[in-house]
């Protein structure tokens, strides 16, 4: 019971850290890109990952966590896949309208459910599916505006959805099957994610913004926001792996849409972004869907724990019964041997 309570506290802590750090970095990056005119999102992400790796390397040298070797081929492929998915998401945003990009992000949840059902044989109840549908409807109402389709943008969005889903499923699967922590996996994979984005980032950003990141004139305030963004990113990257490892890719995506609602609210409050009745209605529906999802997940987990405890007690009773039978059998055999010996005498 104590271990389960500690696990639940760990999950709540991970969720809170993920929400707080993600909302913070969105606000920071929005100020950096919109207000200060720094448009190099993919390159900035590579800097985030490099700072994350350096921070984890220092923590590992100070014995804050133990480095557990993972198969190098697995780590490289995993790191490249996650780096590529970030690139595709940024390209999708560049070649599509904001509305279609939001639809792309919404499509990640049903596609993740589909992949886990087909390949991992995971079952999702009708109640969970209903709450997810409600959540997606609410976020769609709140954030999706215009839907402008084009062939190249649609292909990039599809690739972004596939690579993001597979990457997040692997984040969960690798941690559980190889028995590694979120910190250990992030420490091993971050250099490869950073490397592929460091190489491709300037090209992607120049293609999208028509500006060169190396020719950009960095003012002190821009450098300050970049440093702040990189520091917050350490918490974002760590909490992402932590949440997916402790919960599931679908739960992480649900959390991501909660962040979207919070960003919309903070944008209105702090940055005075336009806010309409449609935004309010969408956020209310989305929050209600999240509440249902959390409630149904909690109920199903409790039911699963009860079944597991019941099966465990049955196995224990069965083992105890077998042990008693063995004791009685040994006693009977001893009495038979004794009576046989007495008859011989």
């Amino acid at each position: 019971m104590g271990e389960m309570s500690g696990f639940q506290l760990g999950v709540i802590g991970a969720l809170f850290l993920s929400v707080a750090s993600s909302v913070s970095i969105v606000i920071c990056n929005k100020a950096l890109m919109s207000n200060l005119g720094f448009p190099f999102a993919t390159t900035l992400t590579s800097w985030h990952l490099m700072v994350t790796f350096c921070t984890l390397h220092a923590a590992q040298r100070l014995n804050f966590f133990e480095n557990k070797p993972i198969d190098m081929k697995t780590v490289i492929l995993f790191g490249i896949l996650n780096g590529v998915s970030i690139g595709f998401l940024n390209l999708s945003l560049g070649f599509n309208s904001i509305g279609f990009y939001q639809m792309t992000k919404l499509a990640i949840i049903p596609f993740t459910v589909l992949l886990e059902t087909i390949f991992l044989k995971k079952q999702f109840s009708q109640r969970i599916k209903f709450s997810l549908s409600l959540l997606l409807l609410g976020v769609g109402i709140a954030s999706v505006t215009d839907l402008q389709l084009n062939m190249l943008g649609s292909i990039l969005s599809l690739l972004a959805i596939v690579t993001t889903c597979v990457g997040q499923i692997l984040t969960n699967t690798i941690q559980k099957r190889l028995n590694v922590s979120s910190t250990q996996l992030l420490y091993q994979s971050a250099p490869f994610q950073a490397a592929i984005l460091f190489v491709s980032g300037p090209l992607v950003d120049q293609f999208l913004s028509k500006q060169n990141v190396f020719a950009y004139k960095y003012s002190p305030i821009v450098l300050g926001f970049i440093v702040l963004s990189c520091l917050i990113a350490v918490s974002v990257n760590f909490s992402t792996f932590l949440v997916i490892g402790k919960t599931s890719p679908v739960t992480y995506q649900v959390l991501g849409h909660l962040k979207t609602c919070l960003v919309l609210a903070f944008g209105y409050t702090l940055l005075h972004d336009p806010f309409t009745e449609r935004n309010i209605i969408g956020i209310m529906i989305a929050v209600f869907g999240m509440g249902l999802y959390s409630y149904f997940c909690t109920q199903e987990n409790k039911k699963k724990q009860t079944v597991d405890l019941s099966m465990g007690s049955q196995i224990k009773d069965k083992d105890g019964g077998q042990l008693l039978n063995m004791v009685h059998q040994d006693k009977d055999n001893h009495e038979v041997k004794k009576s046989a010996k007495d008859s011989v005498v």
Side-chain angles (χ1 to χ4, degrees), residues 42 81-94 96 101 104 153 155-161 163-164 197 204:
T42 311
L81 178 65
N82 277 292
V84 167
S85 72
I86 294 171
F88 278 136
L89 280 169
N90 286 337
L91 285 171
S92 173
L93 178 58
N96 291 304
Y101 175 72
T104 299
I155 293 173
L156 289 171
S157 292
L158 179 61
L159 291 172
I161 292 168
T163 52
T164 301
L197 289 175
V204 172

Side-chain angles (χ1 to χ4, degrees), residues 34-103:
S34 299
N35 299 345
L36 299 176
F38 184 84
F40 311 108
T42 311
T43 304
L44 181 63
T45 305
S46 72
W47 297 345
H48 288 169
L49 288 163
M50 282 191 286
V51 172
T52 299
F53 172 72
C54 292
T55 304
L56 290 178
H57 184 66
Q60 192 269 328
R61 294 298 296 269
L62 294 172
N63 296 319
F64 282 101
F65 70 94
E66 181 183 354
N67 181 26
K68 185 173 182 179
I70 307 174
D71 176 57
M72 188 56 66
K73 185 178 179 181
T74 300
V75 172
I76 292 174
L77 291 175
F78 174 73
I80 291 174
L81 178 65
N82 277 292
V84 167
S85 72
I86 294 171
F88 278 136
L89 280 169
N90 286 337
L91 285 171
S92 173
L93 178 58
F95 280 90
N96 291 304
S97 64
I98 298 295
F100 192 82
Y101 175 72
Q102 288 295 339
M103 287 297 295

Side-chain angles (χ1 to χ4, degrees), residues 105-148:
K105 293 175 70 176
L106 291 176
I108 292 174
I109 284 185
F111 199 82
T112 301
V113 170
L114 179 65
L115 289 180
E116 288 195 310
T117 303
I118 294 174
F119 295 104
L120 299 181
K121 309 302 180 186
K122 188 173 180 179
Q123 299 296 320
F124 294 88
S125 67
Q126 293 299 322
R127 297 192 305 174
I128 293 291
K129 292 177 182 177
F130 171 73
S131 62
L132 289 175
S133 300
L134 205 59
L135 162 68
L136 296 176
L137 174 65
V139 176
I141 292 172
S143 62
V144 176
T145 52
D146 57 321
L147 285 177
Q148 299 174 10

Side-chain angles (χ1 to χ4, degrees), residues 2 27 59 69 127-128 159 161 251 253 287 302 305 327:
I27 293 173
R127 297 192 305 174
I128 293 291
L159 291 172
I161 292 168
T251 299
Q253 284 299 322
V287 170
K302 284 182 180 178
Q305 289 167 19
V327 170

Side-chain angles (χ1 to χ4, degrees), residues 180-208:
V180 296
S181 69
S182 55
T183 310
Q184 291 167 333
L185 180 58
L186 179 59
Y187 178 62
Q188 294 278 343
S189 62
F192 300 103
Q193 295 184 58
I196 191 168
L197 289 175
F198 189 74
V199 172
S200 63
L203 299 175
V204 172
D205 289 334
Q206 186 167 9
F207 185 72
L208 295 176

